[in-house]
Amino acid sequence: MEIKWMKTFVVTAKYENFRKTSEELFLTQPAVTKHIKRLEETLNIHLFERNGNKVALTPAGHRFYTYAKELVEKYERGMEEFEAWKQGYSRKLVIAAAPQIASSFLPAMLRTFMDENPDIEVVINVLKSYDIGEEISSGRADLGLSRILPIQANIKSIVVHQESVILVGPYKGKVKEELSEQLIFNQYRLITHNHPDYWDLLLKDVKRHYPTVQTMAVNQVEVTKRFIEEGLGASYLPLTVVKDEIGRNKMEAIQPDKIIPPKSATYLLTKVVTDEVRLFTDFLQESTLIW
């Protein structure tokens, strides 16, 4: 009995469809059929009732599914651990990080952390802040770096960093008229909702002082930055997210006037504090001194 037959069976049981199974496993549909047939011949029992490409588990299939799923998961976990061992890792840390965090300060910090802990395999899952709490709660990640507090009651959270949010607009170079808050809102759209935490209150404040401002919602920071560089608008973004673009004269920071910009917090989310989680937490808190 081959493990590839078992995996094909497990995926087919999930979808009850040969076509979807073939797409997920990058197999031809005849190969999927062959794997199932070989497995049934080995077990000497039918696992599926067939109706074209659609299939349904037989009572025997339902019974066997639990065993097969456990075996496949154990095999894949074992192979991952063995591959990690071959690469020199003896420990593992899975981090779920919000896109803003993963694309700004995290890479530099990870380089230092991994240099100091070469035996820890670090895996990064980039998720929306809204989804990180569930990732930690379910055990799919060891810790999370989020821009918002989690809603799950079993998750612990601490603020590891707070930073300024600034208004940024397109870089204008050496022009006679210096960009101001009022000029920005008169000439450019305000690109909103690229951060999960502060926009509702901030937008109310902006509209109170600048009621005719045009807005455009963009739910990704990297897209927002590209739009700003192309002159499509201006936005309020955390300093760490835009400091490189400001330094390379891709954007300009606009001094506040009537609007008091909010603060952006980075939350560390944990459920089970393993040695690896504790190491990274201590490292992160010490690193805030140089953010």
Side-chain angles (χ1 to χ4, degrees), residues 214-238:
Q214 291 185 314
T215 62
M216 178 170 60
V218 176
N219 65 0
Q220 292 188 13
V221 168
E222 293 304 314
V223 176
T224 297
K225 292 197 294 183
R226 182 65 179 150
F227 281 12
I228 294 172
E229 291 175 15
E230 292 296 328
L232 286 172
S235 189
Y236 286 93
L237 293 169

PDB file of all heavy atoms in Angstrom, residues 214-238:
ATOM      1  N   GLN A 214     -12.169  63.900  -1.469  1.00  0.00           N
ATOM      2  CA  GLN A 214     -12.528  62.684  -2.196  1.00  0.00           C
ATOM      3  C   GLN A 214     -11.748  61.508  -1.612  1.00  0.00           C
ATOM      4  O   GLN A 214     -10.565  61.648  -1.287  1.00  0.00           O
ATOM      5  CB  GLN A 214     -12.227  62.827  -3.682  1.00  0.00           C
ATOM      6  CG  GLN A 214     -13.135  63.811  -4.409  1.00  0.00           C
ATOM      7  CD  GLN A 214     -12.853  63.820  -5.895  1.00  0.00           C
ATOM      8  OE1 GLN A 214     -11.702  63.865  -6.332  1.00  0.00           O
ATOM      9  NE2 GLN A 214     -13.911  63.776  -6.693  1.00  0.00           N
ATOM     10  N   THR A 215     -12.402  60.355  -1.519  1.00  0.00           N
ATOM     11  CA  THR A 215     -11.744  59.188  -0.934  1.00  0.00           C
ATOM     12  C   THR A 215     -11.756  58.015  -1.917  1.00  0.00           C
ATOM     13  O   THR A 215     -12.582  57.953  -2.826  1.00  0.00           O
ATOM     14  CB  THR A 215     -12.433  58.751   0.367  1.00  0.00           C
ATOM     15  OG1 THR A 215     -13.792  58.379   0.091  1.00  0.00           O
ATOM     16  CG2 THR A 215     -12.405  59.872   1.398  1.00  0.00           C
ATOM     17  N   MET A 216     -10.834  57.114  -1.682  1.00  0.00           N
ATOM     18  CA  MET A 216     -10.776  55.872  -2.458  1.00  0.00           C
ATOM     19  C   MET A 216     -10.280  54.773  -1.515  1.00  0.00           C
ATOM     20  O   MET A 216      -9.185  54.857  -0.966  1.00  0.00           O
ATOM     21  CB  MET A 216      -9.822  55.993  -3.649  1.00  0.00           C
ATOM     22  CG  MET A 216      -9.682  54.702  -4.456  1.00  0.00           C
ATOM     23  SD  MET A 216      -8.777  54.910  -6.032  1.00  0.00           S
ATOM     24  CE  MET A 216      -7.198  55.503  -5.458  1.00  0.00           C
ATOM     25  N   ALA A 217     -11.106  53.755  -1.299  1.00  0.00           N
ATOM     26  CA  ALA A 217     -10.745  52.659  -0.404  1.00  0.00           C
ATOM     27  C   ALA A 217      -9.862  51.655  -1.131  1.00  0.00           C
ATOM     28  O   ALA A 217     -10.194  51.191  -2.221  1.00  0.00           O
ATOM     29  CB  ALA A 217     -11.997  51.969   0.131  1.00  0.00           C
ATOM     30  N   VAL A 218      -8.732  51.332  -0.520  1.00  0.00           N
ATOM     31  CA  VAL A 218      -7.803  50.321  -1.038  1.00  0.00           C
ATOM     32  C   VAL A 218      -7.374  49.478   0.155  1.00  0.00           C
ATOM     33  O   VAL A 218      -6.825  50.009   1.110  1.00  0.00           O
ATOM     34  CB  VAL A 218      -6.569  50.964  -1.706  1.00  0.00           C
ATOM     35  CG1 VAL A 218      -5.584  49.893  -2.141  1.00  0.00           C
ATOM     36  CG2 VAL A 218      -6.985  51.816  -2.889  1.00  0.00           C
ATOM     37  N   ASN A 219      -7.605  48.187   0.113  1.00  0.00           N
ATOM     38  CA  ASN A 219      -7.409  47.377   1.319  1.00  0.00           C
ATOM     39  C   ASN A 219      -6.025  46.745   1.445  1.00  0.00           C
ATOM     40  O   ASN A 219      -5.824  45.879   2.279  1.00  0.00           O
ATOM     41  CB  ASN A 219      -8.487  46.289   1.417  1.00  0.00           C
ATOM     42  CG  ASN A 219      -8.390  45.263   0.299  1.00  0.00           C
ATOM     43  OD1 ASN A 219      -7.524  45.353  -0.568  1.00  0.00           O
ATOM     44  ND2 ASN A 219      -9.282  44.289   0.321  1.00  0.00           N
ATOM     45  N   GLN A 220      -5.059  47.182   0.633  1.00  0.00           N
ATOM     46  CA  GLN A 220      -3.700  46.666   0.744  1.00  0.00           C
ATOM     47  C   GLN A 220      -2.699  47.803   0.789  1.00  0.00           C
ATOM     48  O   GLN A 220      -2.767  48.741  -0.020  1.00  0.00           O
ATOM     49  CB  GLN A 220      -3.372  45.739  -0.426  1.00  0.00           C
ATOM     50  CG  GLN A 220      -4.144  44.429  -0.414  1.00  0.00           C
ATOM     51  CD  GLN A 220      -3.632  43.475  -1.478  1.00  0.00           C
ATOM     52  OE1 GLN A 220      -2.572  43.669  -2.064  1.00  0.00           O
ATOM     53  NE2 GLN A 220      -4.409  42.435  -1.734  1.00  0.00           N
ATOM     54  N   VAL A 221      -1.763  47.707   1.728  1.00  0.00           N
ATOM     55  CA  VAL A 221      -0.776  48.762   1.914  1.00  0.00           C
ATOM     56  C   VAL A 221       0.139  48.895   0.703  1.00  0.00           C
ATOM     57  O   VAL A 221       0.438  50.003   0.252  1.00  0.00           O
ATOM     58  CB  VAL A 221       0.058  48.509   3.192  1.00  0.00           C
ATOM     59  CG1 VAL A 221       1.273  49.419   3.238  1.00  0.00           C
ATOM     60  CG2 VAL A 221      -0.790  48.744   4.419  1.00  0.00           C
ATOM     61  N   GLU A 222       0.631  47.759   0.181  1.00  0.00           N
ATOM     62  CA  GLU A 222       1.569  47.827  -0.939  1.00  0.00           C
ATOM     63  C   GLU A 222       0.934  48.478  -2.159  1.00  0.00           C
ATOM     64  O   GLU A 222       1.590  49.230  -2.885  1.00  0.00           O
ATOM     65  CB  GLU A 222       2.083  46.429  -1.286  1.00  0.00           C
ATOM     66  CG  GLU A 222       2.950  45.801  -0.214  1.00  0.00           C
ATOM     67  CD  GLU A 222       4.144  46.672   0.156  1.00  0.00           C
ATOM     68  OE1 GLU A 222       4.817  47.188  -0.767  1.00  0.00           O
ATOM     69  OE2 GLU A 222       4.408  46.846   1.357  1.00  0.00           O
ATOM     70  N   VAL A 223      -0.347  48.196  -2.378  1.00  0.00           N
ATOM     71  CA  VAL A 223      -1.060  48.839  -3.491  1.00  0.00           C
ATOM     72  C   VAL A 223      -1.234  50.323  -3.206  1.00  0.00           C
ATOM     73  O   VAL A 223      -1.060  51.164  -4.089  1.00  0.00           O
ATOM     74  CB  VAL A 223      -2.423  48.161  -3.723  1.00  0.00           C
ATOM     75  CG1 VAL A 223      -3.202  48.885  -4.818  1.00  0.00           C
ATOM     76  CG2 VAL A 223      -2.241  46.694  -4.099  1.00  0.00           C
ATOM     77  N   THR A 224      -1.555  50.656  -1.970  1.00  0.00           N
ATOM     78  CA  THR A 224      -1.687  52.060  -1.578  1.00  0.00           C
ATOM     79  C   THR A 224      -0.398  52.829  -1.868  1.00  0.00           C
ATOM     80  O   THR A 224      -0.422  53.929  -2.445  1.00  0.00           O
ATOM     81  CB  THR A 224      -2.017  52.172  -0.075  1.00  0.00           C
ATOM     82  OG1 THR A 224      -3.278  51.566   0.181  1.00  0.00           O
ATOM     83  CG2 THR A 224      -2.072  53.629   0.358  1.00  0.00           C
ATOM     84  N   LYS A 225       0.725  52.260  -1.485  1.00  0.00           N
ATOM     85  CA  LYS A 225       2.000  52.949  -1.700  1.00  0.00           C
ATOM     86  C   LYS A 225       2.264  53.160  -3.191  1.00  0.00           C
ATOM     87  O   LYS A 225       2.751  54.219  -3.602  1.00  0.00           O
ATOM     88  CB  LYS A 225       3.138  52.149  -1.057  1.00  0.00           C
ATOM     89  CG  LYS A 225       3.071  52.129   0.457  1.00  0.00           C
ATOM     90  CD  LYS A 225       4.384  51.698   1.093  1.00  0.00           C
ATOM     91  CE  LYS A 225       4.732  50.280   0.808  1.00  0.00           C
ATOM     92  NZ  LYS A 225       5.988  49.876   1.513  1.00  0.00           N
ATOM     93  N   ARG A 226       1.957  52.151  -3.985  1.00  0.00           N
ATOM     94  CA  ARG A 226       2.160  52.278  -5.435  1.00  0.00           C
ATOM     95  C   ARG A 226       1.272  53.370  -6.021  1.00  0.00           C
ATOM     96  O   ARG A 226       1.708  54.151  -6.866  1.00  0.00           O
ATOM     97  CB  ARG A 226       1.861  50.933  -6.102  1.00  0.00           C
ATOM     98  CG  ARG A 226       2.089  50.915  -7.598  1.00  0.00           C
ATOM     99  CD  ARG A 226       3.530  51.122  -7.942  1.00  0.00           C
ATOM    100  NE  ARG A 226       3.728  51.071  -9.387  1.00  0.00           N
ATOM    101  CZ  ARG A 226       4.672  51.733 -10.038  1.00  0.00           C
ATOM    102  NH1 ARG A 226       5.517  52.501  -9.373  1.00  0.00           N
ATOM    103  NH2 ARG A 226       4.782  51.629 -11.340  1.00  0.00           N
ATOM    104  N   PHE A 227       0.025  53.421  -5.544  1.00  0.00           N
ATOM    105  CA  PHE A 227      -0.899  54.461  -6.016  1.00  0.00           C
ATOM    106  C   PHE A 227      -0.377  55.853  -5.646  1.00  0.00           C
ATOM    107  O   PHE A 227      -0.473  56.798  -6.444  1.00  0.00           O
ATOM    108  CB  PHE A 227      -2.283  54.249  -5.409  1.00  0.00           C
ATOM    109  CG  PHE A 227      -3.099  53.171  -6.086  1.00  0.00           C
ATOM    110  CD1 PHE A 227      -2.521  52.309  -6.996  1.00  0.00           C
ATOM    111  CD2 PHE A 227      -4.452  53.022  -5.800  1.00  0.00           C
ATOM    112  CE1 PHE A 227      -3.264  51.327  -7.626  1.00  0.00           C
ATOM    113  CE2 PHE A 227      -5.207  52.040  -6.419  1.00  0.00           C
ATOM    114  CZ  PHE A 227      -4.619  51.183  -7.332  1.00  0.00           C
ATOM    115  N   ILE A 228       0.145  55.993  -4.440  1.00  0.00           N
ATOM    116  CA  ILE A 228       0.675  57.294  -4.012  1.00  0.00           C
ATOM    117  C   ILE A 228       1.854  57.695  -4.890  1.00  0.00           C
ATOM    118  O   ILE A 228       1.952  58.841  -5.338  1.00  0.00           O
ATOM    119  CB  ILE A 228       1.092  57.244  -2.527  1.00  0.00           C
ATOM    120  CG1 ILE A 228      -0.134  57.047  -1.636  1.00  0.00           C
ATOM    121  CG2 ILE A 228       1.831  58.529  -2.135  1.00  0.00           C
ATOM    122  CD1 ILE A 228       0.206  56.785  -0.176  1.00  0.00           C
ATOM    123  N   GLU A 229       2.758  56.763  -5.152  1.00  0.00           N
ATOM    124  CA  GLU A 229       3.922  57.053  -5.989  1.00  0.00           C
ATOM    125  C   GLU A 229       3.510  57.515  -7.384  1.00  0.00           C
ATOM    126  O   GLU A 229       4.188  58.349  -8.005  1.00  0.00           O
ATOM    127  CB  GLU A 229       4.816  55.818  -6.095  1.00  0.00           C
ATOM    128  CG  GLU A 229       5.519  55.451  -4.798  1.00  0.00           C
ATOM    129  CD  GLU A 229       6.300  54.151  -4.912  1.00  0.00           C
ATOM    130  OE1 GLU A 229       6.525  53.700  -6.065  1.00  0.00           O
ATOM    131  OE2 GLU A 229       6.672  53.585  -3.881  1.00  0.00           O
ATOM    132  N   GLU A 230       2.388  56.975  -7.871  1.00  0.00           N
ATOM    133  CA  GLU A 230       1.908  57.332  -9.212  1.00  0.00           C
ATOM    134  C   GLU A 230       1.029  58.582  -9.204  1.00  0.00           C
ATOM    135  O   GLU A 230       0.493  58.968 -10.246  1.00  0.00           O
ATOM    136  CB  GLU A 230       1.128  56.168  -9.825  1.00  0.00           C
ATOM    137  CG  GLU A 230       1.988  54.957 -10.165  1.00  0.00           C
ATOM    138  CD  GLU A 230       3.012  55.259 -11.241  1.00  0.00           C
ATOM    139  OE1 GLU A 230       2.724  56.095 -12.126  1.00  0.00           O
ATOM    140  OE2 GLU A 230       4.113  54.674 -11.191  1.00  0.00           O
ATOM    141  N   GLY A 231       0.891  59.208  -8.039  1.00  0.00           N
ATOM    142  CA  GLY A 231       0.132  60.453  -7.963  1.00  0.00           C
ATOM    143  C   GLY A 231      -1.373  60.280  -7.893  1.00  0.00           C
ATOM    144  O   GLY A 231      -2.128  61.225  -8.147  1.00  0.00           O
ATOM    145  N   LEU A 232      -1.832  59.075  -7.533  1.00  0.00           N
ATOM    146  CA  LEU A 232      -3.272  58.823  -7.479  1.00  0.00           C
ATOM    147  C   LEU A 232      -3.910  59.281  -6.174  1.00  0.00           C
ATOM    148  O   LEU A 232      -5.132  59.330  -6.073  1.00  0.00           O
ATOM    149  CB  LEU A 232      -3.556  57.327  -7.663  1.00  0.00           C
ATOM    150  CG  LEU A 232      -3.390  56.790  -9.088  1.00  0.00           C
ATOM    151  CD1 LEU A 232      -3.518  55.280  -9.099  1.00  0.00           C
ATOM    152  CD2 LEU A 232      -4.424  57.418 -10.014  1.00  0.00           C
ATOM    153  N   GLY A 233      -3.103  59.598  -5.191  1.00  0.00           N
ATOM    154  CA  GLY A 233      -3.693  60.009  -3.928  1.00  0.00           C
ATOM    155  C   GLY A 233      -2.662  60.138  -2.830  1.00  0.00           C
ATOM    156  O   GLY A 233      -1.451  60.051  -3.052  1.00  0.00           O
ATOM    157  N   ALA A 234      -3.172  60.342  -1.616  1.00  0.00           N
ATOM    158  CA  ALA A 234      -2.359  60.429  -0.406  1.00  0.00           C
ATOM    159  C   ALA A 234      -3.012  59.553   0.644  1.00  0.00           C
ATOM    160  O   ALA A 234      -4.171  59.156   0.507  1.00  0.00           O
ATOM    161  CB  ALA A 234      -2.261  61.876   0.072  1.00  0.00           C
ATOM    162  N   SER A 235      -2.276  59.253   1.707  1.00  0.00           N
ATOM    163  CA  SER A 235      -2.853  58.386   2.726  1.00  0.00           C
ATOM    164  C   SER A 235      -2.111  58.543   4.047  1.00  0.00           C
ATOM    165  O   SER A 235      -1.013  59.100   4.108  1.00  0.00           O
ATOM    166  CB  SER A 235      -2.796  56.923   2.277  1.00  0.00           C
ATOM    167  OG  SER A 235      -3.543  56.099   3.161  1.00  0.00           O
ATOM    168  N   TYR A 236      -2.745  58.041   5.098  1.00  0.00           N
ATOM    169  CA  TYR A 236      -2.137  57.953   6.419  1.00  0.00           C
ATOM    170  C   TYR A 236      -1.616  56.529   6.604  1.00  0.00           C
ATOM    171  O   TYR A 236      -2.386  55.565   6.581  1.00  0.00           O
ATOM    172  CB  TYR A 236      -3.152  58.273   7.514  1.00  0.00           C
ATOM    173  CG  TYR A 236      -3.499  59.736   7.628  1.00  0.00           C
ATOM    174  CD1 TYR A 236      -4.590  60.269   6.948  1.00  0.00           C
ATOM    175  CD2 TYR A 236      -2.728  60.589   8.418  1.00  0.00           C
ATOM    176  CE1 TYR A 236      -4.912  61.616   7.058  1.00  0.00           C
ATOM    177  CE2 TYR A 236      -3.048  61.941   8.533  1.00  0.00           C
ATOM    178  CZ  TYR A 236      -4.135  62.445   7.851  1.00  0.00           C
ATOM    179  OH  TYR A 236      -4.446  63.781   7.957  1.00  0.00           O
ATOM    180  N   LEU A 237      -0.297  56.398   6.806  1.00  0.00           N
ATOM    181  CA  LEU A 237       0.318  55.089   6.937  1.00  0.00           C
ATOM    182  C   LEU A 237       1.332  55.092   8.080  1.00  0.00           C
ATOM    183  O   LEU A 237       1.930  56.129   8.389  1.00  0.00           O
ATOM    184  CB  LEU A 237       1.022  54.691   5.640  1.00  0.00           C
ATOM    185  CG  LEU A 237       0.112  54.430   4.430  1.00  0.00           C
ATOM    186  CD1 LEU A 237       0.936  54.314   3.160  1.00  0.00           C
ATOM    187  CD2 LEU A 237      -0.725  53.177   4.647  1.00  0.00           C
ATOM    188  N   PRO A 238       1.544  53.928   8.724  1.00  0.00           N
ATOM    189  CA  PRO A 238       2.552  53.841   9.780  1.00  0.00           C
ATOM    190  C   PRO A 238       3.939  54.206   9.252  1.00  0.00           C
ATOM    191  O   PRO A 238       4.281  53.895   8.106  1.00  0.00           O
ATOM    192  CB  PRO A 238       2.492  52.372  10.221  1.00  0.00           C
ATOM    193  CG  PRO A 238       1.115  51.919   9.833  1.00  0.00           C
ATOM    194  CD  PRO A 238       0.804  52.646   8.571  1.00  0.00           C
TER     195      PRO A 238
END
